[in-house]
Amino acid sequence: MNPIFRDAIFADLPAIVALLAEDTLGEKREDAATPLDPGYEAAFAAIKSDPGQRLIVAEIDGRVIGTMQLSTIPGIAFKGAWRGQIEAVRIAQDLRGRGLGKLLIAYGVEQFRQGGCKFVQLTSHKSRTRAHRFYERLGWTRSHEGFKLALT
Amino acid sequence: MNPIFRDAIFADLPAIVALLAEDTLGEKREDAATPLDPGYEAAFAAIKSDPGQRLIVAEIDGRVIGTMQLSTIPGIAFKGAWRGQIEAVRIAQDLRGRGLGKLLIAYGVEQFRQGGCKFVQLTSHKSRTRAHRFYERLGWTRSHEGFKLALT
Protein backbone atom coordinates (compact mmCIF):
# COMPACT_ATOMS: atom_id res chain seq x y z
CA MET A 1 0.00 0.00 0.00
CA ASN A 2 1.59 3.20 -1.18
CA PRO A 3 -0.31 6.24 0.03
CA ILE A 4 -0.33 9.56 -1.77
CA PHE A 5 0.53 12.51 0.48
CA ARG A 6 -0.94 15.89 -0.39
CA ASP A 7 -2.30 19.11 1.09
CA ALA A 8 -5.90 18.74 2.22
CA ILE A 9 -8.75 20.32 0.29
CA PHE A 10 -12.06 21.39 1.83
CA ALA A 11 -13.78 18.19 0.65
CA ASP A 12 -11.36 16.16 2.83
CA LEU A 13 -12.52 17.86 6.02
CA PRO A 14 -15.22 15.34 7.10
CA ALA A 15 -12.72 12.48 6.67
CA ILE A 16 -10.06 14.36 8.63
CA VAL A 17 -12.49 15.05 11.49
CA ALA A 18 -13.57 11.39 11.45
CA LEU A 19 -9.92 10.34 11.89
CA LEU A 20 -9.55 12.71 14.85
CA ALA A 21 -12.86 11.49 16.35
CA GLU A 22 -12.07 7.75 16.22
CA ASP A 23 -9.03 8.29 18.43
CA THR A 24 -9.08 7.29 22.12
CA LEU A 25 -8.58 10.88 23.30
CA GLY A 26 -10.35 12.49 20.36
CA GLU A 27 -13.65 10.66 20.79
CA LYS A 28 -14.32 12.75 23.91
CA ARG A 29 -13.74 16.09 22.27
CA GLU A 30 -14.58 15.83 18.56
CA ASP A 31 -17.88 15.55 16.67
CA ALA A 32 -17.68 13.99 13.21
CA ALA A 33 -21.43 14.34 12.51
CA THR A 34 -22.22 16.15 9.28
CA PRO A 35 -22.92 18.92 8.60
CA LEU A 36 -19.72 19.55 10.53
CA ASP A 37 -19.51 21.90 13.49
CA PRO A 38 -18.72 25.32 11.98
CA GLY A 39 -15.61 25.48 14.17
CA TYR A 40 -13.98 22.88 11.94
CA GLU A 41 -14.66 24.89 8.77
CA ALA A 42 -13.36 28.09 10.34
CA ALA A 43 -10.17 26.31 11.41
CA PHE A 44 -9.68 24.83 7.93
CA ALA A 45 -9.98 28.30 6.40
CA ALA A 46 -7.50 29.71 8.94
CA ILE A 47 -4.96 26.99 8.21
CA LYS A 48 -5.30 27.52 4.46
CA SER A 49 -4.78 31.28 4.76
CA ASP A 50 -1.69 30.95 7.01
CA PRO A 51 1.53 30.33 5.02
CA GLY A 52 3.09 28.77 8.14
CA GLN A 53 0.49 25.98 8.29
CA ARG A 54 -0.16 22.94 6.12
CA LEU A 55 -2.84 20.33 6.68
CA ILE A 56 -1.76 17.04 5.07
CA VAL A 57 -3.74 13.94 4.17
CA ALA A 58 -2.56 10.47 3.20
CA GLU A 59 -4.77 8.85 0.59
CA ILE A 60 -5.05 5.27 -0.66
CA ASP A 61 -7.40 4.45 -3.55
CA GLY A 62 -9.30 7.69 -3.01
CA ARG A 63 -9.78 7.13 0.73
CA VAL A 64 -8.26 9.54 3.27
CA ILE A 65 -6.48 7.17 5.65
CA GLY A 66 -4.21 9.56 7.54
CA THR A 67 -3.64 13.19 8.46
CA MET A 68 -1.27 15.54 10.22
CA GLN A 69 -0.66 19.27 10.49
CA LEU A 70 2.71 20.83 9.72
CA SER A 71 3.63 24.20 11.27
CA THR A 72 6.77 26.13 10.36
CA ILE A 73 7.91 28.41 13.19
CA PRO A 74 10.75 30.93 12.90
CA GLY A 75 12.67 31.48 16.14
CA ILE A 76 15.66 33.40 17.52
CA ALA A 77 17.19 30.43 19.38
CA PHE A 78 19.83 28.20 17.75
CA LYS A 79 21.15 31.23 15.84
CA GLY A 80 17.82 31.86 14.23
CA ALA A 81 16.68 28.33 13.47
CA TRP A 82 13.36 27.61 11.78
CA ARG A 83 11.64 24.69 13.46
CA GLY A 84 9.04 22.36 12.07
CA GLN A 85 6.23 21.17 14.28
CA ILE A 86 3.95 18.19 13.66
CA GLU A 87 0.50 18.08 15.29
CA ALA A 88 -2.59 15.90 15.14
CA VAL A 89 -1.04 12.79 13.55
CA ARG A 90 -3.60 10.07 12.84
CA ILE A 91 -3.78 6.85 10.81
CA ALA A 92 -7.12 5.06 10.32
CA GLN A 93 -7.58 2.42 13.03
CA ASP A 94 -8.13 -0.45 10.58
CA LEU A 95 -4.84 0.31 8.81
CA ARG A 96 -2.48 0.61 11.76
CA GLY A 97 0.58 -1.60 12.13
CA ARG A 98 1.40 -1.54 8.42
CA GLY A 99 4.07 1.13 8.38
CA LEU A 100 1.80 3.92 7.14
CA GLY A 101 2.54 6.15 10.13
CA LYS A 102 6.24 5.84 9.42
CA LEU A 103 5.68 6.96 5.82
CA LEU A 104 3.49 9.86 6.96
CA ILE A 105 6.07 11.14 9.45
CA ALA A 106 8.87 10.69 6.92
CA TYR A 107 6.91 12.82 4.45
CA GLY A 108 6.42 15.57 7.06
CA VAL A 109 10.08 15.55 8.09
CA GLU A 110 11.14 15.78 4.43
CA GLN A 111 8.86 18.80 3.88
CA PHE A 112 10.57 20.58 6.78
CA ARG A 113 14.03 19.59 5.58
CA GLN A 114 13.28 21.08 2.17
CA GLY A 115 11.90 24.17 3.91
CA GLY A 116 15.21 24.77 5.67
CA CYS A 117 14.19 23.81 9.23
CA LYS A 118 17.02 22.82 11.55
CA PHE A 119 14.87 20.49 13.64
CA VAL A 120 11.37 19.11 13.98
CA GLN A 121 9.36 18.83 17.18
CA LEU A 122 6.14 17.23 18.33
CA THR A 123 4.43 16.29 21.56
CA SER A 124 2.48 13.15 22.37
CA HIS A 125 0.12 12.63 25.30
CA LYS A 126 1.79 10.65 28.09
CA SER A 127 -0.89 7.95 27.73
CA ARG A 128 0.19 7.18 24.13
CA THR A 129 3.03 4.83 25.07
CA ARG A 130 2.93 2.98 21.71
CA ALA A 131 3.38 6.30 19.92
CA HIS A 132 6.37 7.12 22.11
CA ARG A 133 8.13 3.88 21.15
CA PHE A 134 7.21 4.56 17.52
CA TYR A 135 8.91 7.98 17.51
CA GLU A 136 11.96 6.67 19.37
CA ARG A 137 12.35 3.87 16.81
CA LEU A 138 12.31 6.56 14.11
CA GLY A 139 15.23 8.31 15.80
CA TRP A 140 13.41 11.06 17.70
CA THR A 141 14.71 12.08 21.14
CA ARG A 142 12.22 12.30 24.02
CA SER A 143 13.96 15.32 25.52
CA HIS A 144 11.15 17.58 26.75
CA GLU A 145 8.18 17.72 29.08
CA GLY A 146 5.02 19.04 27.43
CA PHE A 147 2.71 21.31 29.42
CA LYS A 148 -0.83 22.47 28.61
CA LEU A 149 -3.06 25.10 30.17
CA ALA A 150 -6.76 25.23 29.29
CA LEU A 151 -8.22 28.74 28.88
CA THR A 152 -11.76 29.35 30.05
CA MET B 1 9.76 45.80 40.21
CA ASN B 2 7.05 46.14 37.62
CA PRO B 3 8.25 45.22 34.17
CA ILE B 4 6.76 46.59 30.97
CA PHE B 5 5.83 43.90 28.46
CA ARG B 6 5.91 44.81 24.78
CA ASP B 7 6.66 43.46 21.32
CA ALA B 8 10.38 43.45 20.59
CA ILE B 9 11.92 45.93 18.18
CA PHE B 10 15.07 45.33 16.16
CA ALA B 11 17.20 47.28 18.67
CA ASP B 12 16.26 44.72 21.36
CA LEU B 13 17.80 41.83 19.43
CA PRO B 14 21.31 41.85 21.02
CA ALA B 15 19.74 41.83 24.50
CA ILE B 16 17.39 38.99 23.53
CA VAL B 17 20.26 36.91 22.16
CA ALA B 18 22.29 37.64 25.32
CA LEU B 19 19.42 36.28 27.44
CA LEU B 20 19.31 33.11 25.33
CA ALA B 21 23.10 32.76 25.49
CA GLU B 22 23.44 33.05 29.29
CA ASP B 23 21.21 30.00 29.72
CA THR B 24 22.67 26.60 30.69
CA LEU B 25 21.55 24.98 27.44
CA GLY B 26 21.80 28.12 25.34
CA GLU B 27 25.45 28.85 26.08
CA LYS B 28 26.40 25.85 23.93
CA ARG B 29 24.42 26.92 20.90
CA GLU B 30 24.11 30.71 20.84
CA ASP B 31 26.60 33.48 20.09
CA ALA B 32 25.81 36.87 21.60
CA ALA B 33 28.89 38.58 20.11
CA THR B 34 28.11 41.72 18.11
CA PRO B 35 27.72 42.25 15.26
CA LEU B 36 25.23 39.44 15.66
CA ASP B 37 25.27 36.32 13.52
CA PRO B 38 23.10 37.19 10.48
CA GLY B 39 20.91 34.19 11.31
CA TYR B 40 19.50 36.12 14.26
CA GLU B 41 18.56 39.11 12.11
CA ALA B 42 16.93 36.92 9.48
CA ALA B 43 14.88 35.16 12.16
CA PHE B 44 13.81 38.48 13.68
CA ALA B 45 12.61 39.67 10.27
CA ALA B 46 10.73 36.38 9.71
CA ILE B 47 8.98 36.64 13.09
CA LYS B 48 7.98 40.25 12.43
CA SER B 49 6.53 39.42 9.02
CA ASP B 50 4.51 36.42 10.29
CA PRO B 51 1.16 37.44 11.84
CA GLY B 52 1.14 34.18 13.84
CA GLN B 53 4.36 35.09 15.70
CA ARG B 54 5.15 37.65 18.38
CA LEU B 55 8.53 38.15 20.05
CA ILE B 56 7.99 39.73 23.48
CA VAL B 57 10.40 41.47 25.82
CA ALA B 58 10.04 42.40 29.48
CA GLU B 59 11.72 45.71 30.32
CA ILE B 60 12.61 47.36 33.63
CA ASP B 61 14.11 50.86 33.67
CA GLY B 62 15.04 50.56 30.02
CA ARG B 63 16.79 47.20 30.43
CA VAL B 64 15.50 44.10 28.62
CA ILE B 65 15.29 41.55 31.45
CA GLY B 66 13.13 38.85 29.88
CA THR B 67 11.85 37.44 26.62
CA MET B 68 9.55 34.83 25.13
CA GLN B 69 8.01 34.01 21.76
CA LEU B 70 4.26 33.61 21.30
CA SER B 71 2.93 31.53 18.38
CA THR B 72 -0.74 31.29 17.51
CA ILE B 73 -1.57 28.03 15.70
CA PRO B 74 -4.97 27.23 14.17
CA GLY B 75 -5.90 23.53 14.27
CA ILE B 76 -8.72 21.16 13.37
CA ALA B 77 -8.69 19.26 16.68
CA PHE B 78 -10.93 20.28 19.60
CA LYS B 79 -13.59 21.40 17.11
CA GLY B 80 -11.23 23.83 15.47
CA ALA B 81 -9.41 25.25 18.47
CA TRP B 82 -6.73 27.89 18.12
CA ARG B 83 -3.81 27.07 20.39
CA GLY B 84 -1.21 29.40 21.81
CA GLN B 85 2.37 28.23 22.11
CA ILE B 86 5.11 29.77 24.22
CA GLU B 87 8.77 29.22 23.31
CA ALA B 88 12.16 30.49 24.43
CA VAL B 89 11.17 31.88 27.84
CA ARG B 90 14.06 33.58 29.63
CA ILE B 91 14.52 35.90 32.63
CA ALA B 92 17.93 37.50 33.31
CA GLN B 93 19.94 35.34 35.71
CA ASP B 94 20.52 38.12 38.23
CA LEU B 95 16.77 38.78 38.52
CA ARG B 96 15.45 35.25 38.98
CA GLY B 97 13.43 34.23 42.01
CA ARG B 98 11.52 37.53 42.18
CA GLY B 99 8.33 36.51 40.45
CA LEU B 100 9.18 38.08 37.09
CA GLY B 101 8.79 34.79 35.22
CA LYS B 102 5.31 34.43 36.64
CA LEU B 103 4.38 37.90 35.38
CA LEU B 104 5.88 37.14 31.95
CA ILE B 105 3.93 33.89 31.55
CA ALA B 106 0.75 35.55 32.81
CA TYR B 107 1.15 38.24 30.15
CA GLY B 108 1.60 35.61 27.43
CA VAL B 109 -1.40 33.60 28.56
CA GLU B 110 -3.55 36.73 28.63
CA GLN B 111 -2.53 37.60 25.06
CA PHE B 112 -3.68 34.17 23.91
CA ARG B 113 -6.91 34.41 25.90
CA GLN B 114 -7.71 37.72 24.22
CA GLY B 115 -6.82 36.16 20.87
CA GLY B 116 -9.46 33.45 21.33
CA CYS B 117 -7.17 30.47 21.97
CA LYS B 118 -8.72 27.53 23.81
CA PHE B 119 -5.47 26.41 25.37
CA VAL B 120 -1.79 27.23 25.63
CA GLN B 121 1.10 24.80 25.31
CA LEU B 122 4.82 24.80 25.86
CA THR B 123 7.64 22.31 26.27
CA SER B 124 10.55 22.43 28.67
CA HIS B 125 13.75 20.38 28.47
CA LYS B 126 13.65 17.44 30.90
CA SER B 127 16.77 18.82 32.63
CA ARG B 128 14.89 22.01 33.67
CA THR B 129 13.30 20.56 36.79
CA ARG B 130 12.89 23.96 38.48
CA ALA B 131 10.98 25.22 35.45
CA HIS B 132 8.69 22.16 35.61
CA ARG B 133 7.74 22.91 39.21
CA PHE B 134 7.27 26.56 38.25
CA TYR B 135 4.73 25.73 35.51
CA GLU B 136 2.92 23.21 37.71
CA ARG B 137 2.58 25.83 40.46
CA LEU B 138 1.02 28.13 37.86
CA GLY B 139 -1.61 25.49 37.10
CA TRP B 140 -0.18 23.94 33.95
CA THR B 141 -0.58 20.18 33.41
CA ARG B 142 2.48 18.13 32.47
CA SER B 143 0.49 15.89 30.14
CA HIS B 144 2.76 15.29 27.14
CA GLU B 145 6.13 13.92 26.13
CA GLY B 146 8.09 16.27 23.89
CA PHE B 147 10.15 14.80 21.03
CA LYS B 148 12.79 16.48 18.83
CA LEU B 149 14.52 15.37 15.66
CA ALA B 150 17.57 17.26 14.40
CA LEU B 151 17.77 17.71 10.62
CA THR B 152 21.14 17.54 8.98
Side-chain angles (χ1 to χ4, degrees):
Chain A
M1 289 193 296
N2 278 318
I4 294 165
F5 300 105
R6 59 173 174 79
D7 287 84
I9 60 173
F10 185 71
D12 297 319
L13 192 53
I16 292 168
V17 175
L19 285 171
L20 296 177
E22 75 174 7
D23 173 72
T24 318
L25 296 173
E27 65 185 4
K28 301 168 196 160
R29 60 201 189 199
E30 309 299 344
D31 180 1
T34 52
L36 288 175
D37 186 295
Y40 290 122
E41 300 188 0
F44 183 87
I47 290 169
K48 282 291 168 182
S49 69
D50 182 339
Q53 310 299 326
R54 289 178 66 191
L55 184 62
I56 304 294
V57 293
E59 183 184 305
I60 294 177
D61 294 338
R63 175 188 170 201
V64 170
I65 57 89
T67 181
M68 69 183 163
Q69 183 173 340
L70 306 180
S71 305
T72 300
I73 304 175
I76 303 295
F78 294 88
K79 296 183 182 167
W82 268 246
R83 59 186 71 196
Q85 182 163 299
I86 303 180
E87 297 258 11
V89 178
R90 298 291 185 280
I91 294 289
Q93 273 182 356
D94 62 310
L95 293 174
R96 291 193 194 151
R98 304 181 190 204
L100 295 167
K102 183 177 176 179
L103 294 175
L104 181 66
I105 294 296
Y107 177 81
V109 167
E110 184 56 27
Q111 301 305 297
F112 288 130
R113 191 191 308 274
Q114 290 178 16
C117 291
K118 285 200 184 154
F119 57 93
V120 188
Q121 60 191 25
L122 62 83
T123 68
S124 177
H125 194 276
K126 284 183 185 281
S127 66
R128 301 192 195 273
T129 52
R130 287 185 59 188
H132 304 163
R133 289 193 295 272
F134 166 76
Y135 291 118
E136 288 180 326
R137 279 198 307 274
L138 295 181
W140 294 64
T141 305
R142 192 196 309 207
S143 55
H144 284 63
E145 297 286 341
F147 293 82
K148 305 266 181 183
L149 180 72
L151 301 183
T152 52
Chain B
M1 289 195 296
N2 277 319
I4 295 165
F5 300 105
R6 59 173 174 78
D7 287 84
I9 60 173
F10 185 71
D12 298 319
L13 192 54
I16 293 168
V17 175
L19 286 170
L20 296 177
E22 75 174 7
D23 173 73
T24 318
L25 296 174
E27 65 185 5
K28 300 168 196 158
R29 61 201 189 199
E30 309 299 345
D31 180 1
T34 52
L36 287 175
D37 186 295
Y40 291 121
E41 301 187 2
F44 183 87
I47 290 169
K48 282 292 167 181
S49 70
D50 182 339
Q53 311 298 325
R54 289 178 65 191
L55 183 62
I56 304 295
V57 292
E59 183 183 304
I60 294 176
D61 295 338
R63 175 187 170 202
V64 170
I65 58 88
T67 182
M68 68 184 164
Q69 184 173 337
L70 305 179
S71 304
T72 300
I73 304 175
I76 302 296
F78 294 89
K79 296 183 182 167
W82 268 246
R83 60 185 71 196
Q85 181 163 300
I86 304 180
E87 297 259 12
V89 179
R90 297 290 185 281
I91 294 289
Q93 274 183 355
D94 62 310
L95 294 174
R96 291 194 193 149
R98 305 181 190 204
L100 294 167
K102 183 176 175 180
L103 293 174
L104 181 67
I105 294 296
Y107 176 81
V109 168
E110 183 57 27
Q111 302 304 299
F112 287 131
R113 191 190 309 274
Q114 290 177 16
C117 291
K118 286 200 184 153
F119 56 93
V120 188
Q121 61 191 23
L122 61 83
T123 68
S124 176
H125 194 276
K126 283 183 186 280
S127 67
R128 300 192 196 272
T129 52
R130 287 185 60 188
H132 305 163
R133 290 194 294 272
F134 166 76
Y135 290 118
E136 288 180 325
R137 279 198 307 274
L138 295 181
W140 293 64
T141 305
R142 191 197 309 207
S143 55
H144 284 62
E145 296 286 342
F147 293 82
K148 305 266 181 185
L149 180 72
L151 301 183
T152 50

